Amino acid sequence: MTRSRSGASTLRTFAVRLRNSAPVSARILSELAGEIDRGGPVADLLCSHRAVHSPLFGIQALAGVRLLMLNGKAPELTERFATAHSAAMAGEGDSTSLLAWLAARRAIVENAGEILAALDRTVQQHQPKTAGFLLRGLTMLGAPRVRLFELGACAGLNLILDHYRWFGLGWEWGDVDSPVRLAAVGPRPHQIEIVERAGCDLQPRDAADPRHAMILRSFIPPEHDALRWDLDDAISLASRLGIKVQQSPAGRWLREVLTPPEDRSTLTVVWHSSFWNYLTDDERNEIETTLTAAAGSMPLARVSFEPVDWRTNPRLSVTVYG
């Protein structure tokens, strides 16, 4: 399959996934796919980048367009998108979504450097609700004291899950005054004290940096209001808490931090989500070897929320090392 056919197919697949929840974004992706098929300036720009072969190309392309709206470089698109979104909510809007696409096309051509920079970025759909799966894993482990280390931590929003307020069926857990209030599934968590927390990422984001926060927001389609509100609240909280993520390859960082805790009854938990498929086989083997070796000197567990591949839904896995 040629670069253009591969990229257009990926955009159409992602557009189908967004059709019901984000119809204007889906229209833009569908039109982008058609643009790639026909050729021209937009096609030349997108197909010149190696990301065109990525299964996440649609997410990266849409994030690039969304970032132009967030940073004020596409005012016409922002206005057209809002009009099209309102029309779509009212069950109308085919003509208004076409106008939004035409504005997006102009914005892409006029901001080629910004779009290429967006395609260079790792996909970081960094939603605080993902920490709910970590909470369920910690509940299954049952340890009262935990050291939490995250691989691919992005801005560290999962690392502060105990500073959120979680609402399950018949129970609540976490900081009662938290601005981040999220639904959870599973049994009531026990009392968990996180005595140490740290994370690494190749492209870490600083929640206190407005530009980094804007990049995180760019991965949410404009139509997904609730997700954006949750993310904004979590970014604000992480900024106040001073959460910092270290820039480092995961294998090297893990070797450095996996030293025995002072309190040998503390459980060390290594956590990752939407991270594993980015790694090479050698990187995965390095992490597995490090975890196996460290298990001889400390109580150790691993909690992950990962898809088997990019086409499947993630699944929660909890591993206790003997």
PDB file of all heavy atoms in Angstrom, residues 21-60:
ATOM      1  N   SER A  21     -19.890  10.762  18.010  1.00  0.00           N
ATOM      2  CA  SER A  21     -19.556  11.612  19.157  1.00  0.00           C
ATOM      3  C   SER A  21     -18.923  12.936  18.763  1.00  0.00           C
ATOM      4  O   SER A  21     -18.988  13.902  19.526  1.00  0.00           O
ATOM      5  CB  SER A  21     -18.613  10.866  20.103  1.00  0.00           C
ATOM      6  OG  SER A  21     -17.350  10.649  19.488  1.00  0.00           O
ATOM      7  N   ALA A  22     -18.301  13.005  17.583  1.00  0.00           N
ATOM      8  CA  ALA A  22     -17.612  14.228  17.159  1.00  0.00           C
ATOM      9  C   ALA A  22     -17.787  14.392  15.651  1.00  0.00           C
ATOM     10  O   ALA A  22     -16.832  14.232  14.876  1.00  0.00           O
ATOM     11  CB  ALA A  22     -16.129  14.167  17.539  1.00  0.00           C
ATOM     12  N   PRO A  23     -19.003  14.705  15.207  1.00  0.00           N
ATOM     13  CA  PRO A  23     -19.293  14.685  13.768  1.00  0.00           C
ATOM     14  C   PRO A  23     -18.525  15.700  12.935  1.00  0.00           C
ATOM     15  O   PRO A  23     -18.185  15.417  11.783  1.00  0.00           O
ATOM     16  CB  PRO A  23     -20.804  14.952  13.717  1.00  0.00           C
ATOM     17  CG  PRO A  23     -21.131  15.610  15.022  1.00  0.00           C
ATOM     18  CD  PRO A  23     -20.189  15.030  16.015  1.00  0.00           C
ATOM     19  N   VAL A  24     -18.242  16.882  13.483  1.00  0.00           N
ATOM     20  CA  VAL A  24     -17.514  17.884  12.704  1.00  0.00           C
ATOM     21  C   VAL A  24     -16.053  17.453  12.544  1.00  0.00           C
ATOM     22  O   VAL A  24     -15.475  17.555  11.452  1.00  0.00           O
ATOM     23  CB  VAL A  24     -17.607  19.272  13.363  1.00  0.00           C
ATOM     24  CG1 VAL A  24     -16.931  20.325  12.476  1.00  0.00           C
ATOM     25  CG2 VAL A  24     -19.058  19.654  13.627  1.00  0.00           C
ATOM     26  N   SER A  25     -15.460  16.948  13.614  1.00  0.00           N
ATOM     27  CA  SER A  25     -14.095  16.417  13.517  1.00  0.00           C
ATOM     28  C   SER A  25     -14.039  15.256  12.539  1.00  0.00           C
ATOM     29  O   SER A  25     -13.082  15.142  11.756  1.00  0.00           O
ATOM     30  CB  SER A  25     -13.615  15.951  14.897  1.00  0.00           C
ATOM     31  OG  SER A  25     -13.495  17.034  15.787  1.00  0.00           O
ATOM     32  N   ALA A  26     -15.065  14.402  12.560  1.00  0.00           N
ATOM     33  CA  ALA A  26     -15.114  13.277  11.628  1.00  0.00           C
ATOM     34  C   ALA A  26     -15.184  13.769  10.185  1.00  0.00           C
ATOM     35  O   ALA A  26     -14.533  13.205   9.296  1.00  0.00           O
ATOM     36  CB  ALA A  26     -16.317  12.387  11.943  1.00  0.00           C
ATOM     37  N   ARG A  27     -15.949  14.827   9.943  1.00  0.00           N
ATOM     38  CA  ARG A  27     -16.047  15.376   8.590  1.00  0.00           C
ATOM     39  C   ARG A  27     -14.698  15.905   8.116  1.00  0.00           C
ATOM     40  O   ARG A  27     -14.284  15.685   6.962  1.00  0.00           O
ATOM     41  CB  ARG A  27     -17.097  16.493   8.556  1.00  0.00           C
ATOM     42  CG  ARG A  27     -17.231  17.216   7.208  1.00  0.00           C
ATOM     43  CD  ARG A  27     -17.790  16.311   6.128  1.00  0.00           C
ATOM     44  NE  ARG A  27     -17.875  16.944   4.828  1.00  0.00           N
ATOM     45  CZ  ARG A  27     -18.957  17.602   4.370  1.00  0.00           C
ATOM     46  NH1 ARG A  27     -20.031  17.723   5.138  1.00  0.00           N
ATOM     47  NH2 ARG A  27     -18.963  18.121   3.169  1.00  0.00           N
ATOM     48  N   ILE A  28     -13.977  16.581   9.004  1.00  0.00           N
ATOM     49  CA  ILE A  28     -12.661  17.112   8.638  1.00  0.00           C
ATOM     50  C   ILE A  28     -11.708  15.977   8.279  1.00  0.00           C
ATOM     51  O   ILE A  28     -10.974  16.052   7.284  1.00  0.00           O
ATOM     52  CB  ILE A  28     -12.102  17.978   9.783  1.00  0.00           C
ATOM     53  CG1 ILE A  28     -12.885  19.290   9.878  1.00  0.00           C
ATOM     54  CG2 ILE A  28     -10.609  18.250   9.583  1.00  0.00           C
ATOM     55  CD1 ILE A  28     -12.524  20.162  11.063  1.00  0.00           C
ATOM     56  N   LEU A  29     -11.722  14.901   9.055  1.00  0.00           N
ATOM     57  CA  LEU A  29     -10.850  13.765   8.756  1.00  0.00           C
ATOM     58  C   LEU A  29     -11.238  13.096   7.443  1.00  0.00           C
ATOM     59  O   LEU A  29     -10.362  12.701   6.658  1.00  0.00           O
ATOM     60  CB  LEU A  29     -10.898  12.759   9.893  1.00  0.00           C
ATOM     61  CG  LEU A  29     -10.177  13.162  11.183  1.00  0.00           C
ATOM     62  CD1 LEU A  29     -10.411  12.123  12.267  1.00  0.00           C
ATOM     63  CD2 LEU A  29      -8.676  13.324  10.943  1.00  0.00           C
ATOM     64  N   SER A  30     -12.535  12.954   7.189  1.00  0.00           N
ATOM     65  CA  SER A  30     -12.982  12.344   5.928  1.00  0.00           C
ATOM     66  C   SER A  30     -12.549  13.185   4.732  1.00  0.00           C
ATOM     67  O   SER A  30     -12.100  12.650   3.702  1.00  0.00           O
ATOM     68  CB  SER A  30     -14.509  12.195   5.929  1.00  0.00           C
ATOM     69  OG  SER A  30     -14.932  11.264   6.886  1.00  0.00           O
ATOM     70  N   GLU A  31     -12.688  14.487   4.868  1.00  0.00           N
ATOM     71  CA  GLU A  31     -12.273  15.378   3.775  1.00  0.00           C
ATOM     72  C   GLU A  31     -10.753  15.371   3.612  1.00  0.00           C
ATOM     73  O   GLU A  31     -10.243  15.467   2.481  1.00  0.00           O
ATOM     74  CB  GLU A  31     -12.780  16.792   4.044  1.00  0.00           C
ATOM     75  CG  GLU A  31     -14.289  16.944   4.033  1.00  0.00           C
ATOM     76  CD  GLU A  31     -14.894  16.808   2.639  1.00  0.00           C
ATOM     77  OE1 GLU A  31     -14.126  16.777   1.642  1.00  0.00           O
ATOM     78  OE2 GLU A  31     -16.123  16.724   2.540  1.00  0.00           O
ATOM     79  N   LEU A  32     -10.024  15.252   4.710  1.00  0.00           N
ATOM     80  CA  LEU A  32      -8.568  15.122   4.613  1.00  0.00           C
ATOM     81  C   LEU A  32      -8.185  13.879   3.831  1.00  0.00           C
ATOM     82  O   LEU A  32      -7.252  13.896   3.010  1.00  0.00           O
ATOM     83  CB  LEU A  32      -7.946  15.063   6.006  1.00  0.00           C
ATOM     84  CG  LEU A  32      -7.543  16.371   6.690  1.00  0.00           C
ATOM     85  CD1 LEU A  32      -6.984  16.073   8.075  1.00  0.00           C
ATOM     86  CD2 LEU A  32      -6.521  17.124   5.857  1.00  0.00           C
ATOM     87  N   ALA A  33      -8.910  12.782   4.091  1.00  0.00           N
ATOM     88  CA  ALA A  33      -8.642  11.541   3.358  1.00  0.00           C
ATOM     89  C   ALA A  33      -8.882  11.739   1.871  1.00  0.00           C
ATOM     90  O   ALA A  33      -8.084  11.293   1.026  1.00  0.00           O
ATOM     91  CB  ALA A  33      -9.520  10.416   3.898  1.00  0.00           C
ATOM     92  N   GLY A  34      -9.981  12.423   1.526  1.00  0.00           N
ATOM     93  CA  GLY A  34     -10.252  12.693   0.118  1.00  0.00           C
ATOM     94  C   GLY A  34      -9.199  13.582  -0.505  1.00  0.00           C
ATOM     95  O   GLY A  34      -8.815  13.403  -1.667  1.00  0.00           O
ATOM     96  N   GLU A  35      -8.708  14.530   0.266  1.00  0.00           N
ATOM     97  CA  GLU A  35      -7.645  15.418  -0.210  1.00  0.00           C
ATOM     98  C   GLU A  35      -6.380  14.618  -0.534  1.00  0.00           C
ATOM     99  O   GLU A  35      -5.690  14.878  -1.529  1.00  0.00           O
ATOM    100  CB  GLU A  35      -7.352  16.468   0.858  1.00  0.00           C
ATOM    101  CG  GLU A  35      -6.489  17.614   0.394  1.00  0.00           C
ATOM    102  CD  GLU A  35      -7.284  18.694  -0.326  1.00  0.00           C
ATOM    103  OE1 GLU A  35      -8.527  18.618  -0.343  1.00  0.00           O
ATOM    104  OE2 GLU A  35      -6.647  19.603  -0.860  1.00  0.00           O
ATOM    105  N   ILE A  36      -6.066  13.649   0.315  1.00  0.00           N
ATOM    106  CA  ILE A  36      -4.897  12.803   0.067  1.00  0.00           C
ATOM    107  C   ILE A  36      -5.098  11.988  -1.212  1.00  0.00           C
ATOM    108  O   ILE A  36      -4.169  11.817  -2.011  1.00  0.00           O
ATOM    109  CB  ILE A  36      -4.635  11.894   1.280  1.00  0.00           C
ATOM    110  CG1 ILE A  36      -4.091  12.722   2.449  1.00  0.00           C
ATOM    111  CG2 ILE A  36      -3.649  10.792   0.933  1.00  0.00           C
ATOM    112  CD1 ILE A  36      -3.872  11.931   3.719  1.00  0.00           C
ATOM    113  N   ASP A  37      -6.302  11.486  -1.428  1.00  0.00           N
ATOM    114  CA  ASP A  37      -6.583  10.720  -2.638  1.00  0.00           C
ATOM    115  C   ASP A  37      -6.408  11.571  -3.896  1.00  0.00           C
ATOM    116  O   ASP A  37      -5.890  11.095  -4.920  1.00  0.00           O
ATOM    117  CB  ASP A  37      -8.017  10.176  -2.602  1.00  0.00           C
ATOM    118  CG  ASP A  37      -8.187   9.021  -1.633  1.00  0.00           C
ATOM    119  OD1 ASP A  37      -7.175   8.373  -1.291  1.00  0.00           O
ATOM    120  OD2 ASP A  37      -9.331   8.778  -1.201  1.00  0.00           O
ATOM    121  N   ARG A  38      -6.855  12.813  -3.827  1.00  0.00           N
ATOM    122  CA  ARG A  38      -6.828  13.679  -5.015  1.00  0.00           C
ATOM    123  C   ARG A  38      -5.455  14.278  -5.273  1.00  0.00           C
ATOM    124  O   ARG A  38      -5.125  14.638  -6.397  1.00  0.00           O
ATOM    125  CB  ARG A  38      -7.851  14.815  -4.841  1.00  0.00           C
ATOM    126  CG  ARG A  38      -9.305  14.372  -4.898  1.00  0.00           C
ATOM    127  CD  ARG A  38     -10.234  15.567  -4.897  1.00  0.00           C
ATOM    128  NE  ARG A  38     -10.162  16.321  -3.660  1.00  0.00           N
ATOM    129  CZ  ARG A  38     -10.899  16.064  -2.581  1.00  0.00           C
ATOM    130  NH1 ARG A  38     -11.747  15.040  -2.597  1.00  0.00           N
ATOM    131  NH2 ARG A  38     -10.796  16.798  -1.497  1.00  0.00           N
ATOM    132  N   GLY A  39      -4.659  14.434  -4.213  1.00  0.00           N
ATOM    133  CA  GLY A  39      -3.376  15.102  -4.357  1.00  0.00           C
ATOM    134  C   GLY A  39      -3.506  16.601  -4.199  1.00  0.00           C
ATOM    135  O   GLY A  39      -4.607  17.145  -4.111  1.00  0.00           O
ATOM    136  N   GLY A  40      -2.390  17.285  -4.129  1.00  0.00           N
ATOM    137  CA  GLY A  40      -2.410  18.727  -3.938  1.00  0.00           C
ATOM    138  C   GLY A  40      -1.571  19.127  -2.738  1.00  0.00           C
ATOM    139  O   GLY A  40      -0.882  18.296  -2.134  1.00  0.00           O
ATOM    140  N   PRO A  41      -1.619  20.401  -2.362  1.00  0.00           N
ATOM    141  CA  PRO A  41      -0.741  20.906  -1.291  1.00  0.00           C
ATOM    142  C   PRO A  41      -0.921  20.189   0.046  1.00  0.00           C
ATOM    143  O   PRO A  41       0.063  19.880   0.721  1.00  0.00           O
ATOM    144  CB  PRO A  41      -1.133  22.385  -1.180  1.00  0.00           C
ATOM    145  CG  PRO A  41      -1.752  22.723  -2.489  1.00  0.00           C
ATOM    146  CD  PRO A  41      -2.414  21.483  -2.969  1.00  0.00           C
ATOM    147  N   VAL A  42      -2.164  19.949   0.465  1.00  0.00           N
ATOM    148  CA  VAL A  42      -2.395  19.280   1.742  1.00  0.00           C
ATOM    149  C   VAL A  42      -1.886  17.846   1.698  1.00  0.00           C
ATOM    150  O   VAL A  42      -1.242  17.355   2.626  1.00  0.00           O
ATOM    151  CB  VAL A  42      -3.887  19.319   2.122  1.00  0.00           C
ATOM    152  CG1 VAL A  42      -4.147  18.480   3.370  1.00  0.00           C
ATOM    153  CG2 VAL A  42      -4.338  20.758   2.354  1.00  0.00           C
ATOM    154  N   ALA A  43      -2.177  17.153   0.597  1.00  0.00           N
ATOM    155  CA  ALA A  43      -1.695  15.780   0.446  1.00  0.00           C
ATOM    156  C   ALA A  43      -0.181  15.726   0.457  1.00  0.00           C
ATOM    157  O   ALA A  43       0.420  14.855   1.104  1.00  0.00           O
ATOM    158  CB  ALA A  43      -2.247  15.171  -0.847  1.00  0.00           C
ATOM    159  N   ASP A  44       0.459  16.649  -0.267  1.00  0.00           N
ATOM    160  CA  ASP A  44       1.922  16.671  -0.309  1.00  0.00           C
ATOM    161  C   ASP A  44       2.500  16.888   1.084  1.00  0.00           C
ATOM    162  O   ASP A  44       3.501  16.258   1.470  1.00  0.00           O
ATOM    163  CB  ASP A  44       2.413  17.784  -1.246  1.00  0.00           C
ATOM    164  CG  ASP A  44       2.093  17.500  -2.707  1.00  0.00           C
ATOM    165  OD1 ASP A  44       1.794  16.324  -3.021  1.00  0.00           O
ATOM    166  OD2 ASP A  44       2.123  18.447  -3.506  1.00  0.00           O
ATOM    167  N   LEU A  45       1.868  17.765   1.862  1.00  0.00           N
ATOM    168  CA  LEU A  45       2.346  18.060   3.208  1.00  0.00           C
ATOM    169  C   LEU A  45       2.222  16.833   4.114  1.00  0.00           C
ATOM    170  O   LEU A  45       3.198  16.410   4.748  1.00  0.00           O
ATOM    171  CB  LEU A  45       1.552  19.221   3.800  1.00  0.00           C
ATOM    172  CG  LEU A  45       1.843  19.563   5.264  1.00  0.00           C
ATOM    173  CD1 LEU A  45       3.246  20.121   5.407  1.00  0.00           C
ATOM    174  CD2 LEU A  45       0.810  20.558   5.787  1.00  0.00           C
ATOM    175  N   LEU A  46       1.031  16.252   4.185  1.00  0.00           N
ATOM    176  CA  LEU A  46       0.795  15.137   5.097  1.00  0.00           C
ATOM    177  C   LEU A  46       1.581  13.894   4.697  1.00  0.00           C
ATOM    178  O   LEU A  46       2.138  13.195   5.547  1.00  0.00           O
ATOM    179  CB  LEU A  46      -0.698  14.820   5.164  1.00  0.00           C
ATOM    180  CG  LEU A  46      -1.598  15.928   5.735  1.00  0.00           C
ATOM    181  CD1 LEU A  46      -3.050  15.469   5.745  1.00  0.00           C
ATOM    182  CD2 LEU A  46      -1.166  16.327   7.143  1.00  0.00           C
ATOM    183  N   CYS A  47       1.635  13.619   3.416  1.00  0.00           N
ATOM    184  CA  CYS A  47       2.301  12.393   2.960  1.00  0.00           C
ATOM    185  C   CYS A  47       3.817  12.504   2.975  1.00  0.00           C
ATOM    186  O   CYS A  47       4.516  11.500   2.791  1.00  0.00           O
ATOM    187  CB  CYS A  47       1.812  12.016   1.564  1.00  0.00           C
ATOM    188  SG  CYS A  47       0.090  11.486   1.531  1.00  0.00           S
ATOM    189  N   SER A  48       4.325  13.715   3.211  1.00  0.00           N
ATOM    190  CA  SER A  48       5.775  13.875   3.324  1.00  0.00           C
ATOM    191  C   SER A  48       6.283  13.435   4.687  1.00  0.00           C
ATOM    192  O   SER A  48       7.485  13.293   4.888  1.00  0.00           O
ATOM    193  CB  SER A  48       6.162  15.338   3.092  1.00  0.00           C
ATOM    194  OG  SER A  48       5.724  16.163   4.180  1.00  0.00           O
ATOM    195  N   HIS A  49       5.360  13.219   5.629  1.00  0.00           N
ATOM    196  CA  HIS A  49       5.754  12.892   6.996  1.00  0.00           C
ATOM    197  C   HIS A  49       5.631  11.392   7.240  1.00  0.00           C
ATOM    198  O   HIS A  49       4.682  10.748   6.783  1.00  0.00           O
ATOM    199  CB  HIS A  49       4.876  13.655   7.990  1.00  0.00           C
ATOM    200  CG  HIS A  49       5.467  13.732   9.363  1.00  0.00           C
ATOM    201  ND1 HIS A  49       5.445  12.668  10.240  1.00  0.00           N
ATOM    202  CD2 HIS A  49       6.109  14.751  10.014  1.00  0.00           C
ATOM    203  CE1 HIS A  49       6.028  13.028  11.367  1.00  0.00           C
ATOM    204  NE2 HIS A  49       6.453  14.278  11.261  1.00  0.00           N
ATOM    205  N   ARG A  50       6.582  10.851   8.012  1.00  0.00           N
ATOM    206  CA  ARG A  50       6.585   9.408   8.277  1.00  0.00           C
ATOM    207  C   ARG A  50       5.352   8.957   9.062  1.00  0.00           C
ATOM    208  O   ARG A  50       4.984   7.783   9.034  1.00  0.00           O
ATOM    209  CB  ARG A  50       7.850   9.026   9.049  1.00  0.00           C
ATOM    210  CG  ARG A  50       7.950   9.649  10.429  1.00  0.00           C
ATOM    211  CD  ARG A  50       9.273   9.323  11.106  1.00  0.00           C
ATOM    212  NE  ARG A  50       9.358   9.891  12.455  1.00  0.00           N
ATOM    213  CZ  ARG A  50       9.658  11.148  12.714  1.00  0.00           C
ATOM    214  NH1 ARG A  50       9.915  11.982  11.707  1.00  0.00           N
ATOM    215  NH2 ARG A  50       9.708  11.592  13.958  1.00  0.00           N
ATOM    216  N   ALA A  51       4.699   9.877   9.769  1.00  0.00           N
ATOM    217  CA  ALA A  51       3.518   9.514  10.565  1.00  0.00           C
ATOM    218  C   ALA A  51       2.367   9.024   9.713  1.00  0.00           C
ATOM    219  O   ALA A  51       1.436   8.404  10.233  1.00  0.00           O
ATOM    220  CB  ALA A  51       3.058  10.709  11.406  1.00  0.00           C
ATOM    221  N   VAL A  52       2.429   9.272   8.396  1.00  0.00           N
ATOM    222  CA  VAL A  52       1.339   8.843   7.518  1.00  0.00           C
ATOM    223  C   VAL A  52       1.153   7.331   7.566  1.00  0.00           C
ATOM    224  O   VAL A  52       0.074   6.812   7.278  1.00  0.00           O
ATOM    225  CB  VAL A  52       1.594   9.337   6.074  1.00  0.00           C
ATOM    226  CG1 VAL A  52       2.695   8.524   5.396  1.00  0.00           C
ATOM    227  CG2 VAL A  52       0.308   9.287   5.253  1.00  0.00           C
ATOM    228  N   HIS A  53       2.191   6.583   7.947  1.00  0.00           N
ATOM    229  CA  HIS A  53       2.091   5.120   8.055  1.00  0.00           C
ATOM    230  C   HIS A  53       1.652   4.665   9.444  1.00  0.00           C
ATOM    231  O   HIS A  53       1.405   3.487   9.660  1.00  0.00           O
ATOM    232  CB  HIS A  53       3.442   4.473   7.744  1.00  0.00           C
ATOM    233  CG  HIS A  53       3.765   4.447   6.272  1.00  0.00           C
ATOM    234  ND1 HIS A  53       2.868   4.049   5.317  1.00  0.00           N
ATOM    235  CD2 HIS A  53       4.903   4.796   5.608  1.00  0.00           C
ATOM    236  CE1 HIS A  53       3.432   4.133   4.117  1.00  0.00           C
ATOM    237  NE2 HIS A  53       4.663   4.589   4.265  1.00  0.00           N
ATOM    238  N   SER A  54       1.549   5.585  10.391  1.00  0.00           N
ATOM    239  CA  SER A  54       1.212   5.214  11.765  1.00  0.00           C
ATOM    240  C   SER A  54      -0.271   4.886  11.886  1.00  0.00           C
ATOM    241  O   SER A  54      -1.115   5.559  11.276  1.00  0.00           O
ATOM    242  CB  SER A  54       1.565   6.349  12.722  1.00  0.00           C
ATOM    243  OG  SER A  54       0.980   6.138  13.998  1.00  0.00           O
ATOM    244  N   PRO A  55      -0.638   3.874  12.681  1.00  0.00           N
ATOM    245  CA  PRO A  55      -2.058   3.599  12.929  1.00  0.00           C
ATOM    246  C   PRO A  55      -2.739   4.715  13.705  1.00  0.00           C
ATOM    247  O   PRO A  55      -3.963   4.746  13.785  1.00  0.00           O
ATOM    248  CB  PRO A  55      -2.031   2.291  13.734  1.00  0.00           C
ATOM    249  CG  PRO A  55      -0.678   2.230  14.341  1.00  0.00           C
ATOM    250  CD  PRO A  55       0.239   2.893  13.370  1.00  0.00           C
ATOM    251  N   LEU A  56      -1.946   5.636  14.263  1.00  0.00           N
ATOM    252  CA  LEU A  56      -2.489   6.758  15.028  1.00  0.00           C
ATOM    253  C   LEU A  56      -2.445   8.065  14.233  1.00  0.00           C
ATOM    254  O   LEU A  56      -2.623   9.142  14.804  1.00  0.00           O
ATOM    255  CB  LEU A  56      -1.703   6.922  16.334  1.00  0.00           C
ATOM    256  CG  LEU A  56      -1.655   5.689  17.235  1.00  0.00           C
ATOM    257  CD1 LEU A  56      -0.811   5.962  18.480  1.00  0.00           C
ATOM    258  CD2 LEU A  56      -3.047   5.247  17.643  1.00  0.00           C
ATOM    259  N   PHE A  57      -2.242   7.957  12.935  1.00  0.00           N
ATOM    260  CA  PHE A  57      -2.105   9.133  12.076  1.00  0.00           C
ATOM    261  C   PHE A  57      -3.325  10.048  12.174  1.00  0.00           C
ATOM    262  O   PHE A  57      -3.200  11.272  12.214  1.00  0.00           O
ATOM    263  CB  PHE A  57      -1.883   8.685  10.629  1.00  0.00           C
ATOM    264  CG  PHE A  57      -1.800   9.793   9.626  1.00  0.00           C
ATOM    265  CD1 PHE A  57      -0.901  10.838   9.789  1.00  0.00           C
ATOM    266  CD2 PHE A  57      -2.618   9.795   8.501  1.00  0.00           C
ATOM    267  CE1 PHE A  57      -0.811  11.858   8.848  1.00  0.00           C
ATOM    268  CE2 PHE A  57      -2.537  10.810   7.562  1.00  0.00           C
ATOM    269  CZ  PHE A  57      -1.639  11.833   7.736  1.00  0.00           C
ATOM    270  N   GLY A  58      -4.510   9.468  12.251  1.00  0.00           N
ATOM    271  CA  GLY A  58      -5.723  10.283  12.338  1.00  0.00           C
ATOM    272  C   GLY A  58      -5.751  11.126  13.593  1.00  0.00           C
ATOM    273  O   GLY A  58      -6.157  12.297  13.568  1.00  0.00           O
ATOM    274  N   ILE A  59      -5.325  10.541  14.710  1.00  0.00           N
ATOM    275  CA  ILE A  59      -5.292  11.283  15.974  1.00  0.00           C
ATOM    276  C   ILE A  59      -4.288  12.429  15.884  1.00  0.00           C
ATOM    277  O   ILE A  59      -4.553  13.557  16.316  1.00  0.00           O
ATOM    278  CB  ILE A  59      -4.929  10.344  17.138  1.00  0.00           C
ATOM    279  CG1 ILE A  59      -5.959   9.223  17.253  1.00  0.00           C
ATOM    280  CG2 ILE A  59      -4.824  11.115  18.441  1.00  0.00           C
ATOM    281  CD1 ILE A  59      -5.611   8.181  18.294  1.00  0.00           C
ATOM    282  N   GLN A  60      -3.117  12.147  15.305  1.00  0.00           N
ATOM    283  CA  GLN A  60      -2.081  13.174  15.195  1.00  0.00           C
ATOM    284  C   GLN A  60      -2.517  14.315  14.279  1.00  0.00           C
ATOM    285  O   GLN A  60      -2.300  15.487  14.585  1.00  0.00           O
ATOM    286  CB  GLN A  60      -0.784  12.549  14.681  1.00  0.00           C
ATOM    287  CG  GLN A  60      -0.135  11.590  15.675  1.00  0.00           C
ATOM    288  CD  GLN A  60       0.973  10.767  15.026  1.00  0.00           C
ATOM    289  OE1 GLN A  60       0.696   9.911  14.176  1.00  0.00           O
ATOM    290  NE2 GLN A  60       2.197  11.018  15.429  1.00  0.00           N
TER     291      GLN A  60
END
